[in-house]
Amino acid sequence: MNPSILRLHHYEADSRVNGPGQRFVVWVQGCTLNCPGCFNPQTHSNSQGFLMDVDELYQQIYSQSNSIEGVTISGGEPLFQAPVLEKLLKRVKEHTSLSVVLLSGFALDEIKKMPAAQKLLSFVDVLIAGRFDINQRLNNHLIGSANKFLHFLTPRYTPADFNIDNAEVFIHEDGTIILSGFDPLIWK
Ligand code: SF4
């Protein structure tokens, strides 16, 4: 694996449902956790998506840094690319005042046994952690099932900051339509 290349599924520069305020959201590509009922199965393959250099992605984020509150890393499973994401988030934290929210299918006790993930978390303000469990599903902002938890790793935010809308739709100039958050047709 090239230590500066991320495999990504998609990114958006102006999301409002992936954490507090307007955020640059990165969905990484690749996840082998296979949660039954996963709402984002198109992110699972480790051979799909596209490759992007960390420097290029950082420049995209930096170009938006005056108009956004922070960066959210979702997936796919971000921790499978933890060393490369660490490079990205380290630069974000060193050169901007942006906050960082990270969503993972791993629970915090699992992450504590993963050295690379631990290093990554030193650049994260809020971790949303745990497998998606379809039998405990919620459509509660960024919490997809009741066994997932918000972990406030820095004082930047409180639970009240996560009182956000559940879904948004991006319509791009090329006609591409992207749904982010909970699909209202499925998550009743
Ligand atoms: S960790 Fe997330 S992306 Fe991976 S299978 Fe579970 S819900 Fe889907």
Side-chain angles (χ1 to χ4, degrees), residues 153-167:
L153 306 179
T154 73
R156 178 112 177 206
Y157 293 121
T158 69
D161 294 309
F162 282 76
N163 185 19
I164 53 181
D165 290 339
N166 280 334

Side-chain angles (χ1 to χ4, degrees), residues 19-175:
Q22 186 169 331
R23 310 186 70 79
F24 195 110
V25 185
V26 178
W27 288 272
V28 302
Q29 179 74 32
C31 181
T32 56
L33 296 181
N34 286 320
C35 306
C38 170
F39 45 87
N40 227 354
Q42 65 274 24
T43 65
H44 290 183
S45 168
N46 287 315
S47 58
Q48 295 181 354
F50 61 98
L51 301 177
M52 192 169 189
D53 190 276
V54 161
D55 186 57
E56 184 184 349
L57 182 56
Y58 172 74
Q59 294 301 335
Q60 295 252 6
I61 292 169
Y62 187 77
S63 71
Q64 303 291 324
S65 59
N66 288 331
S67 58
I68 58 175
E69 161 97 15
V71 178
T72 294
I73 309 292
S74 186
E77 176 47 58
L79 299 188
F80 290 140
Q81 300 185 66
V84 194
L85 285 171
E86 182 194 340
K87 289 185 179 179
L88 175 71
L89 298 185
K90 185 172 189 286
R91 290 181 73 180
V92 167
K93 283 299 190 183
E94 286 180 348
H95 300 291
T96 77
S97 60
L98 299 174
S99 63
V100 175
V101 173
L102 187 141
L103 291 89
S104 173
F106 289 101
L108 188 57
D109 58 344
E110 294 176 299
I111 295 172
K112 285 179 177 171
K113 299 170 189 158
M114 303 163 68
Q118 283 281 1
K119 288 175 73 177
L120 175 64
L121 288 194
S122 64
F123 303 105
V124 173
D125 295 290
V126 179
L127 167 70
I128 301 173
R131 303 285 191 284
F132 170 66
D133 181 347
I134 196 168
N135 296 313
Q136 301 185 61
R137 71 183 187 184
L138 298 173
N139 58 348
N140 182 14
H141 313 301
L142 287 175
I143 307 294
S145 59
N147 60 309
K148 293 173 74 75
F149 291 99
L150 281 164
H151 300 281
F152 295 89
L153 306 179
T154 73
R156 178 112 177 206
Y157 293 121
T158 69
D161 294 309
F162 282 76
N163 185 19
I164 53 181
D165 290 339
N166 280 334
E168 66 190 343
V169 178
F170 299 99
I171 303 174
H172 293 285
E173 287 182 359
D174 66 358

